[in-house]
């Protein structure tokens, strides 16, 4: 075993082996994989081996598709069979709601470059003659599905890695990891200690225990999962082709051909957790006791769809553990705040994800940033707030309803609330329906008195449509308060604060107290790493407002530009609560409480500063509004949140003050054409594509990403940020729909909402550079119906911003 390596990977399941393979491919030289037992000794060996290219959003689908597509090449390269069967899948819909979902799925796949298609009953039976279609309403053909041999895939990655020079050591448990003063790690194993520049935790079922060695608590919990394999079935024996996978989401099972029989796997409801307090260190190549009664209901539904299953003898039953994060997505990337400690854990569908995880981590280590936006898998998306109770509730709910219909805008309630602001009880009293962002509850909308604060789950216009209309119009006509406590807030202080900001941000930073500047933050490759409002509060003190969900993501990014003795960067995301107050009476309302003159001359658009606001003796006031109305944002310490809110409501009674939720804010910002982080703005785009090019100041001699951005500026744009209106009917688009010119995909929507101030269905998104500003007729599909789309040349509401600046 080597004594010093560039990367030490802990765990030889399919994930660890893929990472070793991809690191070697990316040009790393010293890669060591350490496995406590045999390769595959965790969840990998007993997996059912299903693999598919569709992963939900466009980037997840790209990653799944990468994994799905690698097997033929891996086999060719290594000579090791992966047992790859490319048989496709049939997604069954038994209900109208599932049909709606599959319609969306069909379009989302198209947006991501995958073609799926509807099958007639005759076509379905040709592909799958053992299916009884009498309970089926529709069948979507998904060609990019198949199955592999789990052990073969793992060995192929391992062989590929070894052939390129990686070292793989088996039967050698890692018993400790110790951070050295220089940021490298001592990886202590049963057979000696290795120094590693970087450590990767790919310990699967034991990822929690391995993380704890480095003082890290990962939000993971194992669950039990059943599948069984039948004896040969005569109707299958007589076929001269292999059956496709069957996905019967309404019945929470998956099925495929195994040999000449069938394999049936079930996401049991209720879910059974396993080893909640910790995975036993001596758990070996073992299975868990079967509890087939837990899958009775699903089995009967499967027999309804595939009657020959009912008569088949069972050959093998598997009940094995696998480990999940709260949203069932992997936890990958550098762990924030712990130098050179990388995670590749919580991998639910290893045969659709592990290759991509290897590819992403190798690229990330090399380029010091992910190659594109992988936040949906990033370990930084969960903070310490995601404790064991939350993880248990969430994994249990997500597992048991793994294939449940996912509705637009749905905020699932399991495990909540975890974090609340001090005004939570008051909002609840006022009828708030809550969502959660990074664990924190916030009002989505307020149910009028006498109505139930409950969301209807539908793909069409929901029960809150008219309510949110009321909130938007009340704000437009009077003054509305929206809680913005979930925004990201950071304070940068010290003699070196401005210089530091000038280095990490692309725009020129404020130069006087009270000035506020909007700025993109670029990655090393010149892509969007963030976008912030930067307010100068004092000579050496700045407040940054950005997206709250990426708080830890941003602080992890900044770690590489610190420490510097004369600057400190502190997250105030949970240390400050925020209220947006906007509408034509916003100034009158705040003037009643504020200790300063808020007239337009004294407090012009974009001015910022410290004020006293009613009971809040310390408040930060920014004259900005994401709503497009005359408006302000007020940030106060949590202790002042509730008293300030109550004072605003009391003081604004005669001005028609009202509460609005984030659903209203979403509609209002889309009317104004304002993008949001994670939707319109992300690492996937350059500032020039996203309409932020003018905020990149190349006359600054040096800032992160400058040289790369210069090249990107002069390159033709792949995408162009665009505003749209849609001829919608009883369903608005959601975001993620492909935009079509004829049948050609020429762009996509990133978010959408009905604009109540303009009475139109609106969306934001990107046109391909080749089609930007096109005059050709455009359309999207909403629930299977073609709808016209028009490009807007300016914001749908108040394009000159006269209201905001009044
Ligand atoms: C019943 C069942 C069916 C499944 N079916 C499918 C399917 O059809 N398709 C699909 O994609 N996925 C399926 N899965 C999920 C799949 O098994 C996992 O996604 C995948 O195996 C995760 O691989 P991993 O390498 O991340 O973790 P693991 O396979 O758990 O590997 C972790 C490795 O780390 C090693 N290790 C742990 N601690 C240490 C230490 N201290 N020192 C050194 N080594 C250590 C372990 O020995 C182990 O080999 C299924 C899972 C189950 C349980």
């Amino acid at each position: 075993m080597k004594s010093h390596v560039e990367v030490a990977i802990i765990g030889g399941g399919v994930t660890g082996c893929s990472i070793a393979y991809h690191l070697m491919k990316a040009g790393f030289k010293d890669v060591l994989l350490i496995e406590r037992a045999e390769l595959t000794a965790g969840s990998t060996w007993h997996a059912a081996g299903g693999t598919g290219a569709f992963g939900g959003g466009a980037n997840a689908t790209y990653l799944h598709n990468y994994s799905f597509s690698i097997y033929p090449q891996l086999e060719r390269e290594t000579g090791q069979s992966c047992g790859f069967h490319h048989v496709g899948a049939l997604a069954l819909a038994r209900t109208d709601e599932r049909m709606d979902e599959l319609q969306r799925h069909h379009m989302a796949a198209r947006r991501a470059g995958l073609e799926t298609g509807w099958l007639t009953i005759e076509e379905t039976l040709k592909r799958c003659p053992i299916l009884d279609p009498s309970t089926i309403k529709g069948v979507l053909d998904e060609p990019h599905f198949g199955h592999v041999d789990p052990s073969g895939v793992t060995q192929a990655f391992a062989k590929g890695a070894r052939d390129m020079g990686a070292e793989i050591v088996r039967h050698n448990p890692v018993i400790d990891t110790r951070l050295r003063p220089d940021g490298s790690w001592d990886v202590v194993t049963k057979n000696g200690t290795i120094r590693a520049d970087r450590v990767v935790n790919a310990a699967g079922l034991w990822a929690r225990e391995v993380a704890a060695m480095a003082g890290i608590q990962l939000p993971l919990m194992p669950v039990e999962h059943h599948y069984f394999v039948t004896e040969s079935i005569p109707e299958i024996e007589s076929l001269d082709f292999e059956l496709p996978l069957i996905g019967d989401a309404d019945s929470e099972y998956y099925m495929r051909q195994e040999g000449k029989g069938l394999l049936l796997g079930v996401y049991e409801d209720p879910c059974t957790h396993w080893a909640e307090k910790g995975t036993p260190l001596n758990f070996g190549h073992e299975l868990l006791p079967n509890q087939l009664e837990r899958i009775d209901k699903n089995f009967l539904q499967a027999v309804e769809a595939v009657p020959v299953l009912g008569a088949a003898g069972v050959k093998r039953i598997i009940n094995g553990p696998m480990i999940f994060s709260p949203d069932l997505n992997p936890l990958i990337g550098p762990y924030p705040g712990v130098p050179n400690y990388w995670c590749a854990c919580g991998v639910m569908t290893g045969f659709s994800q592990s290759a991509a995880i290897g590819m992403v981590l190798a690229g990330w280590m090399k380029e010091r940033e992910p190659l594109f936006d992988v936040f949906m898998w990033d370990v930084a998306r969960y903070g310490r707030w995601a404790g064991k109770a939350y993880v248990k509730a969430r994994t249990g709910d997500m597992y048991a309803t793994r294939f449940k219909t996912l509705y637009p805008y749905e905020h699932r309630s399991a495990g909540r609330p975890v974090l609340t602001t001090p005004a939570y009880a008051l909002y609840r009293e006022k009828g708030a329906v809550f969502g959660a962002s990074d664990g924190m509850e916030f009002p989505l909308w307020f149910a009028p008195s006498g109505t139930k604060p409950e969301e209807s789950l539908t793909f069409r216009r929901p029960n809150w449509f008219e309510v949110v209309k009321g909130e938007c119009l009340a704000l437009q006509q009077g003054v509305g308060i929206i809680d913005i406590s979930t925004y990201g807030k950071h304070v940068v202080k010290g003699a070196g604060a401005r210089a530091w900001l000038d280095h990490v941000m692309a725009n020129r930073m404020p130069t006087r107290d009270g000035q506020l500047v909007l700025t993109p933050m670029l990655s090393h490759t010149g892509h969007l790493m963030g976008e912030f409002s930067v307010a100068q509060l004092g000579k050496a003190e700045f407040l940054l407002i950005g997206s709250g969900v990426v708080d830890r993501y941003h602080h992890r990014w900044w770690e590489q530009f610190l420490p510097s003795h004369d600057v400190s960067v502190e997250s105030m995301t949970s240390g400050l609560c925020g209220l947006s107050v906007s509408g034509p009476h916003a100034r009158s309302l705040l003037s009643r409480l504020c200790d300063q003159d808020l007239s337009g001359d004294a407090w012009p658009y974009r001015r910022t500063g410290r004020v006293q606001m009613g009971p809040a003796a310390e408040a930060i006031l920014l004259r900005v509004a994401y709503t497009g109305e005359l408006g302000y944002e007020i940030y106060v310490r949590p202790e002042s949140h509730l008293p300030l809110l109550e004072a605003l409501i009391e003081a604004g009674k005669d001005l028609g003050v009202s509460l609005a939720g984030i659903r209203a804010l979403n509609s209002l910002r889309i009317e104004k054409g304002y993008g949001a982080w994670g939707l319109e703005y992300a690492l996937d785009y350059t500032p020039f594509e996203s309409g932020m090019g003018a905020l990149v100041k190349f006359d600054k001699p040096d800032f992160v990403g400058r040289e790369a951005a210069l090249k990107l500026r002069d390159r033709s744009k792949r995408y162009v940020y665009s505003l749209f209106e849609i001829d919608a009917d009883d369903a608005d688009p959601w975001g993620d729909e492909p935009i079509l010119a004829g049948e050609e995909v020429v762009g996509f929507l990133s978010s959408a909402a009905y604009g109540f101030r303009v009475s139109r269905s609106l969306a934001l998104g990107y046109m391909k550079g080749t089609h930007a500003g096109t005059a050709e007729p455009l359309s999207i599909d909403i629930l299977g119906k073609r709808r016209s789309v028009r490009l807007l040349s300016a914001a749908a509401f108040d394009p000159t911003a006269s209201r905001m600046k009044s």
Side-chain angles (χ1 to χ4, degrees):
M1 202 165 58
K2 288 177 177 163
S3 59
H4 183 181
V5 293
E6 286 175 280
V7 187
I9 303 159
I10 306 172
V14 64
T15 306
C17 291
S18 160
I19 295 168
Y21 169 87
H22 282 90
L23 285 173
M24 297 310 294
K25 277 241 139 168
F28 284 79
K29 299 275 178 269
D30 288 323
V31 173
L32 170 67
L33 185 150
I34 309 162
E35 165 56 45
R36 99 201 142 106
E38 284 294 347
L39 298 183
T40 78
S43 288
T44 299
W45 71 272
H46 54 245
T51 172
F54 189 73
N59 287 6
T61 297
Y62 174 82
L63 293 169
H64 279 231
N65 196 24
Y66 173 82
S67 299
F68 177 76
S69 309
I70 202 170
Y71 299 116
Q73 172 204 329
L74 193 60
E75 287 183 344
R76 274 195 308 275
E77 251 180 59
T78 62
Q80 162 72 47
S81 167
C82 296
F84 183 43
H85 294 238
H86 186 169
V87 290
L90 304 182
L92 312 183
R94 293 178 185 243
T95 62
D96 291 338
E97 290 288 281
R98 186 68 67 182
M99 282 298 288
D100 283 351
E101 190 188 39
L102 288 185
Q103 291 281 12
R104 281 192 176 266
H105 185 97
H106 181 42
M107 280 298 118
R110 189 140 190 221
R111 140 99 166 94
L114 300 180
E115 287 300 330
T116 57
W118 292 102
L119 295 182
T120 62
I121 292 297
E122 292 70 36
E123 288 165 338
T124 303
L125 289 175
K126 232 175 163 180
R127 297 277 307 282
C128 191
I130 59 171
L131 199 68
D132 175 354
S134 56
T135 57
I136 310 296
K137 290 202 168 210
V139 178
L140 191 65
D141 179 22
E142 304 183 306
H144 303 84
F145 275 80
H147 59 96
V148 289
D149 164 22
S151 176
V153 169
T154 311
Q155 296 297 346
F157 279 132
K159 178 162 191 305
R162 272 199 206 98
D163 290 349
M164 290 182 276
E167 187 180 355
I168 295 181
V169 176
R170 293 171 301 138
H171 302 288
N172 187 21
V174 170
I175 48 183
D176 202 3
T177 52
R178 296 180 192 144
L179 182 61
R180 296 168 62 101
D182 66 355
S184 65
W185 288 83
D186 279 334
V187 180
V188 184
T189 76
K190 199 179 107 199
N191 299 329
T193 297
I194 306 105
R195 184 169 155 207
D197 298 341
R198 296 184 183 96
V199 171
V200 182
N201 177 348
L205 284 175
W206 295 266
R208 292 173 298 175
E209 287 69 29
V210 168
M213 294 173 193
I216 295 168
Q217 181 191 312
L218 288 178
L220 291 169
M221 197 161 286
V223 305
E224 298 186 12
H225 181 64
H226 276 96
Y227 71 85
F228 68 80
V229 179
T230 70
E231 304 281 2
S232 288
I233 295 173
E235 288 81 350
I236 298 179
E237 278 169 1
S238 64
L239 296 176
D240 60 358
F241 60 90
E242 187 174 347
L243 295 168
L245 274 66
I246 295 173
D248 187 355
D250 292 309
S251 309
E252 302 279 351
Y253 71 79
Y254 55 89
M255 192 190 297
R256 67 168 173 84
Q257 184 175 332
E258 171 73 14
K260 292 293 177 187
L262 288 171
L263 180 154
L264 180 90
V266 171
Y267 287 87
E268 309 93 326
D269 182 10
C271 155
T272 300
H273 286 94
W274 178 75
E276 285 175 33
K277 301 214 162 140
T279 304
L281 293 178
N282 59 355
F283 187 74
H285 241 72
E286 296 168 56
L287 292 173
L288 305 172
N290 301 319
Q291 292 178 316
L292 277 186
E293 63 282 4
R294 293 182 51 227
I295 67 171
D296 275 355
K297 185 183 77 186
N298 316 73
F299 174 71
L300 291 175
Q301 283 167 325
V303 172
E304 198 175 84
V306 179
V308 295
L309 179 68
V314 173
K315 186 163 81 178
R316 193 166 76 242
I317 304 168
I318 303 279
N319 181 20
M322 51 180 163
I323 191 159
F324 292 154
S325 76
D327 59 11
L328 309 193
N329 280 328
L331 301 175
I332 70 169
Y335 191 84
V338 183
N340 298 312
Y341 194 94
W342 293 69
C343 293
C345 315
V347 182
M348 181 181 70
T349 56
F351 302 94
S352 304
Q353 295 175 330
S354 289
I357 290 171
M359 180 265 284
V360 167
L361 289 199
W364 197 336
M365 285 186 195
K366 234 179 141 182
E367 301 294 337
R368 296 172 294 158
E369 65 188 59
L371 306 175
F372 51 92
D373 183 21
V374 292
F375 189 70
M376 68 284 170
W377 288 5
D378 194 328
V379 67
R381 74 189 183 279
Y382 288 107
R384 299 281 303 184
W385 60 266
K388 288 184 181 164
Y390 175 81
V391 178
K392 183 175 177 191
R394 210 72 187 175
T395 48
D397 177 63
M398 293 292 285
Y399 177 89
T401 56
R402 161 103 165 90
F403 294 135
K404 176 183 167 286
T405 306
L406 279 181
Y407 293 96
Y409 305 113
E410 189 178 350
H411 283 256
R412 298 174 77 155
S413 60
R416 292 172 42 209
V418 177
L419 305 175
T420 60
T421 63
Y424 177 74
L426 184 142
Y427 289 140
R428 212 164 49 175
E429 218 173 85
K430 302 269 183 200
V433 173
F434 292 94
S437 171
D438 200 23
M440 181 64 81
E441 299 288 318
F442 63 89
L444 292 165
W445 53 281
F446 290 86
S449 63
T451 62
K452 265 195 163 177
E454 263 177 30
E455 304 224 295
S456 61
L457 294 177
T458 172
F459 290 98
R460 286 149 217 279
R461 287 195 176 145
N463 63 339
W464 47 264
F465 186 83
E466 288 298 327
V467 180
V468 170
K469 175 180 180 180
E471 290 178 6
C472 291
L473 298 185
L475 184 148
Q476 182 197 10
Q477 287 150 18
V479 51
I481 302 174
I482 301 177
D483 200 292
I484 51 170
S485 300
T486 55
Y487 282 12
K489 289 140 286 182
H490 318 271
V491 171
V492 182
K493 268 190 197 166
R498 181 180 293 104
W500 184 82
L501 282 167
D502 253 321
H503 178 60
V504 296
M505 301 293 175
N507 199 350
R508 278 189 289 273
M509 289 296 98
T511 50
R512 57 175 195 281
D513 286 5
Q515 194 186 355
L516 181 125
V517 162
L518 298 180
T519 180
M521 180 170 76
L522 303 187
S523 72
H524 297 297
T525 60
H527 290 73
L528 289 179
M529 187 49 83
E531 56 103 24
F532 294 93
S533 300
V534 181
Q536 181 167 328
L537 298 179
K539 209 166 140 223
E541 185 180 4
F542 298 83
L543 174 70
L544 275 53
I545 309 286
S547 164
V549 283
V550 279
D551 184 276
R552 284 171 299 282
Y553 171 89
H554 282 146
H555 281 265
R556 180 180 64 195
W557 176 251
W558 291 328
E559 277 164 22
Q560 61 185 299
F561 310 110
L562 289 168
S564 161
H565 61 283
D566 57 357
V567 55
S568 69
V569 183
E570 187 185 0
S571 169
M572 291 300 288
T573 297
S574 54
L576 288 172
C577 292
L579 297 171
S580 153
V581 179
S582 65
H585 298 326
R587 181 182 290 129
S588 311
L589 171 55
L590 294 195
S591 294
R592 292 176 181 181
L593 297 176
C594 188
D595 66 331
Q596 295 189 23
D597 174 10
L598 294 184
S599 64
D601 290 340
W603 206 283
Y605 178 58
R606 285 209 180 153
R607 183 179 162 187
T608 180
R610 285 203 163 89
V611 298
Q612 297 205 12
M613 187 68 74
E618 283 179 63
I620 300 168
L621 186 68
L622 278 63
R623 198 185 142 190
V624 287
Y626 207 32
T627 60
E629 300 288 345
L630 165 67
Y632 304 80
E633 291 178 0
I634 315 166
Y635 295 97
V636 294
R637 289 151 63 106
E639 309 87 274
S640 296
H641 186 218
L642 180 61
L644 174 62
L645 179 62
E646 286 174 330
L648 286 167
I649 293 171
E650 185 58 33
K653 273 184 176 158
D654 61 320
L655 298 172
V657 70
S658 59
L659 295 176
I662 291 292
R663 293 267 154 80
L665 186 58
N666 194 46
S667 161
L668 299 164
R669 68 131 186 134
I670 289 175
E671 284 176 319
K672 286 293 298 166
Y674 294 154
W677 185 262
L679 296 166
E680 286 72 42
Y681 306 139
L683 192 59
D684 296 340
Y685 309 112
T686 73
F688 315 103
E689 291 165 344
S690 64
M692 281 197 256
L695 301 178
V696 180
K697 301 298 182 199
F698 287 108
D699 55 354
K700 286 204 308 182
D702 165 49
F703 59 89
V704 176
R706 184 181 186 281
E707 298 317 310
L710 257 178
K711 290 189 191 127
L712 292 171
R713 183 188 64 177
D714 301 330
R715 189 180 85 174
S716 56
K717 296 187 184 97
R718 297 162 308 164
Y719 303 108
V720 175
Y721 182 52
S722 307
L723 283 52
F724 306 94
E725 71 177 41
I726 295 108
D727 286 340
D729 186 350
D730 63 337
D732 297 296
W734 181 6
D736 229 19
E737 291 86 352
I739 299 170
L740 307 170
E743 286 308 314
E744 188 187 355
V745 177
V746 295
F748 55 89
L749 304 187
S750 46
S751 53
Y754 193 83
F756 298 103
R757 288 178 297 190
V758 297
S759 303
R760 281 181 275 166
S761 191
L762 300 170
L764 306 177
Y766 282 86
M767 291 295 287
K768 284 187 178 169
T770 44
H771 291 74
T774 180
E776 59 200 323
L778 301 174
S779 62
I780 59 169
D781 259 23
I782 304 180
L783 302 180
K785 289 194 186 140
R786 222 16 95 92
R787 303 287 181 190
S788 294
V789 172
R790 280 174 297 285
L791 270 169
L792 298 177
S793 55
F797 180 74
D798 190 20
T800 58
S802 61
R803 293 174 74 90
M804 225 160 50
K805 294 181 181 168
S806 62

